[in-house]
Amino acid sequence: MAASGGTKAILAALFANLGLAIAKFVAFVFTGASSMLAEAIHSVADTSNQALLLLGGRLARRDATTQHSFGYGRERYFWSFVVALVLFTVGSLYALYEGIDKIRHPHEIDSPVWAFVVLSVGIVLESFSMRTAVVESNRVRGSASWMHFIRRSRTPELPVVLLEDLGALLGLVLALGALAIATVFDAPVWDGIGTMSIGVLLGLIAVVLAVEMRSLLLGESATRADDAAVRKAITSTEGVMGLIHLRTQHIGPEELLVAAKVSFDPGYTTADLVEAINRVEENTRAAVPIARIMYVEPDIEAERLSGP
């Protein structure tokens, strides 16, 4: 569900940003407003970012190989990290450069009506894209707050699209406000101020995304809910005396590696032990379907049952 929902949100954002990029470039040609150029570059960066997310999803579906025996699930984390870099370098740094230049060398804005129309339409389209991302995220975030969902989600696409859409909406509002002030008060310097504000906004979002995607690339453990479900499934299995320790790691958004040291009935024969291990794996996968790769190490030392 998370994968399909993420794809739907990505496609909605891609088409919205592609149309907006074209419209903003046209508006820039007629107005010469730097905030419109910054917004156009922003939309181009967002469009390319959505394409990168789709590429990451496609590459992640490749079968495991000898060199990559756990598969390519982390491709989605890698390309989401690249998205953060693109947003920072192409979107933020360019907007900051353009804004500083326009503050130092302000010039009159021609035909501002073009900018107002394009920005207003952009707010409508981005709102639609944002709504799609919110609806799809609500399907998987459960009762978690939005901040917790963005920080703890193991599926990278939805948080990325959410933050991009939020940045796009706020950027459009900033551009609209700056142009309105510049036009009404005949103060073109506000065009540059608005452009710089967009650059700062994109930089902050890019940093948040980079930090979160770095954590996923390094390898995050199971969520609290999945961790609790795995522990319960193991300890409730027939023949299990206790769970000595458990280690988990996401090797992809929908694939969890589980390694457990488990204490079994000391009276078990080898055949009994094999059957018990198979039951542990079956019960765990029934409770947490993404626990596809499991390594269970048997132990019978009762004094170690209180370990982590």
Side-chain angles (χ1 to χ4, degrees):
M1 181 183 295
S4 61
T7 301
K8 185 176 180 180
I10 292 170
L11 289 174
L14 187 149
F15 290 121
N17 284 310
L18 180 60
L20 281 173
I22 296 172
K24 289 173 183 176
F25 273 120
V26 172
F28 166 70
V29 170
F30 282 93
T31 64
S34 66
S35 55
M36 285 305 307
L37 180 58
E39 273 297 302
I41 298 297
H42 178 191
S43 291
V44 169
D46 282 352
T47 302
S48 64
N49 287 342
Q50 270 88 60
L52 290 174
L53 292 177
L54 291 173
L55 174 64
R58 182 178 181 84
L59 293 175
R61 291 194 293 269
R62 291 178 293 173
D63 293 331
T65 63
T66 302
Q67 185 176 7
H68 298 279
S69 56
F70 288 129
Y72 292 84
R74 285 186 179 170
E75 285 275 11
R76 290 165 66 181
Y77 298 150
F78 170 75
W79 290 106
S80 296
F81 184 77
V82 172
V83 163
L85 298 181
V86 171
L87 194 63
F88 183 76
T89 55
V90 177
S92 177
L93 293 183
Y94 180 82
L96 289 172
Y97 168 80
E98 188 70 16
I100 292 172
D101 182 65
K102 286 301 182 290
I103 290 175
R104 295 178 61 191
H105 310 289
H107 62 76
E108 296 297 324
I109 299 173
D110 302 319
S111 304
V113 66
W114 278 90
F116 292 132
V117 170
V118 169
L119 290 173
S120 299
V121 172
I123 290 175
V124 173
L125 292 178
E126 285 294 353
S127 296
F128 170 76
S129 176
M130 182 79 175
R131 179 183 178 278
T132 301
V134 168
V135 169
E136 297 303 324
S137 297
N138 280 333
R139 298 180 187 274
V140 296
R141 76 181 179 98
S143 60
S145 66
W146 285 108
M147 183 62 70
H148 186 272
F149 173 70
I150 290 172
R151 289 182 56 83
R152 302 304 179 194
S153 175
R154 303 305 191 264
T155 303
E157 292 86 358
L158 287 173
V160 169
V161 174
L162 276 170
L163 287 177
E164 276 193 348
D165 285 347
L166 178 62
L169 273 174
L170 293 178
L172 287 166
V173 172
L174 287 172
L176 190 62
L179 282 174
I181 295 174
T183 302
V184 172
F185 296 99
D186 193 22
V189 69
W190 276 93
D191 182 31
I193 294 174
T195 305
M196 282 196 64
S197 300
I198 294 170
V200 172
L201 172 67
L202 295 181
L204 291 175
I205 291 176
V207 169
V208 172
L209 284 178
V211 170
E212 296 307 317
M213 293 310 119
R214 171 184 175 274
S215 180
L216 289 171
L217 276 172
L218 290 175
E220 291 192 358
S221 60
T223 62
R224 290 184 180 180
D226 283 345
D227 182 86
V230 169
R231 291 176 182 275
K232 182 178 180 180
I234 293 175
T235 55
S236 63
T237 300
E238 180 186 354
V240 171
M241 306 299 292
L243 176 61
I244 298 173
H245 72 234
L246 176 69
R247 299 291 184 269
T248 61
Q249 187 177 92
H250 272 271
I251 56 177
E254 282 91 37
E255 194 163 15
L256 183 68
L257 170 66
V258 177
K261 182 185 285 291
V262 181
S263 175
F264 290 96
D265 187 334
Y268 272 178
T269 64
T270 301
D272 293 333
L273 189 58
V274 169
E275 291 182 5
I277 291 174
N278 289 337
R279 287 196 300 269
V280 166
E281 293 178 348
E282 181 180 351
N283 291 344
T284 301
R285 293 191 178 107
V288 183
I290 64 173
R292 299 177 185 175
I293 302 174
M294 286 193 65
Y295 297 99
V296 179
E297 180 181 351
D299 203 314
I300 58 173
E301 297 181 32
E303 66 270 19
R304 297 176 60 190
L305 294 183
S306 60

